[in-house]
Amino acid sequence: GQNIDQPTEMTATEGAIVQINCTYQTSGFNGLFWYQQHAGEAPTFLSYNVLDGLEEKGRFSSFLSRSKGYSYLLLKELQMKDSASYLCAPRDELSFGAGTTVTVRA
Amino acid sequence: AAGVIQSPRHLIKEKRETATLKCYPIPRHDTVYWYQQGPGQDPQFLISFYEKMQSDKGSIPDRFSAQQFSDYHSELNMSSLELGDSALYFCASSLVGGKETQYFGPGTRLLVL
């Protein structure tokens, strides 16, 4: 997705917190998805935001600001299994950003 | 819970051959999406169907076609295969009207030799 911007890589240690930012530009807006994808596997749905604010789901939270075209995914209490790519996907784009590869180290 | 089913899981073809990938959505899901993901790349949206009609079109080559059948399963037909078509092909399904969360199938890994 050419109109989606995420950092390419992030590294953190087990137990830490990491915030993955996503900025987007769309002509319309009907929500934004976050997906997790392990190498060679299908994306897995994490969250969907359509209204401004923070949505919390266990260790993962997602925030949206529609006026700023900005979202972030917050991963808390990182575990080794959280090492994966995290994809930001505005619904109207029907595509994904290049994803952020998160590496969790012991 | 039932998930999206894709078949075959792996497929090897030679250049200029044809391939058909199948996708069976989660029961009661009425929307199907097809994505292509090359090595080290993000998923690229190809095409989607809602209630058996094409709803959105992305970067699907003219050599490819797809359709959704009355039982909501979908098939992606790929002709005149090229080496660059080697990729993971994901199908996702969703229920329009809800949060339209897309649930992905395990993917079909296509290798064109």
Side-chain angles (χ1 to χ4, degrees):
Chain A
Q2 294 178 353
N3 298 322
I4 304 165
D5 190 36
Q6 297 177 238
T8 305
E9 295 179 341
M10 302 182 76
T11 301
T13 55
E14 261 187 308
I17 299 172
V18 70
Q19 177 174 316
I20 306 169
N21 296 322
C22 171
T23 56
Y24 61 88
Q25 291 180 326
T26 58
S27 54
F29 185 79
N30 283 298
L32 182 142
F33 296 105
W34 281 96
Y35 287 89
Q36 179 192 61
Q37 186 177 28
H38 288 96
E41 297 181 10
T44 303
F45 168 79
L46 290 179
S47 69
Y48 175 76
N49 293 68
V50 65
L51 299 176
D52 290 350
L54 185 69
E55 291 213 7
E56 297 186 76
K57 267 188 186 181
R59 295 189 299 113
F60 293 179
S61 303
S62 56
F63 171 84
L64 176 68
S65 170
R66 289 172 296 173
S67 62
K68 296 180 180 177
Y70 167 70
S71 174
Y72 70 71
L73 180 70
L74 193 69
L75 315 179
K76 295 180 279 190
E77 300 170 19
L78 280 172
Q79 301 175 10
M80 299 298 287
K81 66 179 182 179
D82 297 330
S83 294
S85 282
Y86 291 86
L87 308 169
C88 166
R91 164 63 184 91
D92 290 310
E93 289 294 307
L94 281 175
S95 63
F96 298 83
T100 300
T101 300
V102 172
T103 302
V104 181
R105 293 184 173 161
Chain B
V4 177
I5 297 171
Q6 289 187 248
S7 68
R9 293 292 309 277
H10 302 272
L11 189 59
I12 299 176
K13 290 285 186 178
E14 296 192 354
K15 284 196 309 182
R16 293 181 289 277
E17 286 191 322
T18 61
T20 298
L21 309 186
K22 297 184 178 182
C23 170
Y24 297 86
I26 291 172
R28 291 185 294 281
H29 280 194
D30 48 22
T31 305
V32 169
Y33 309 82
W34 284 98
Y35 293 87
Q36 177 193 58
Q37 187 172 27
Q41 299 178 1
D42 55 300
Q44 295 293 317
F45 171 69
L46 294 178
I47 196 168
S48 65
F49 292 87
Y50 166 63
E51 283 291 343
K52 292 152 281 184
M53 299 287 289
Q54 180 182 307
S55 54
D56 284 293
K57 191 173 182 180
S59 53
I60 185 169
D62 292 339
R63 299 177 288 109
F64 294 5
S65 65
Q67 57 182 328
Q68 185 180 32
F69 295 87
S70 57
D71 63 353
Y72 296 102
H73 93 272
S74 178
E75 295 184 3
L76 178 67
N77 299 295
M78 312 160 70
S79 62
S80 302
L81 285 169
E82 301 174 357
L83 297 179
D85 297 329
S86 296
L88 259 174
Y89 290 83
F90 289 113
C91 168
S93 75
S94 71
L95 185 61
V96 175
K99 278 195 169 183
E100 210 177 327
T101 303
Q102 297 180 30
Y103 293 91
F104 283 76
T108 294
R109 188 175 294 278
L110 172 66
L111 178 62
V112 181
L113 302 176

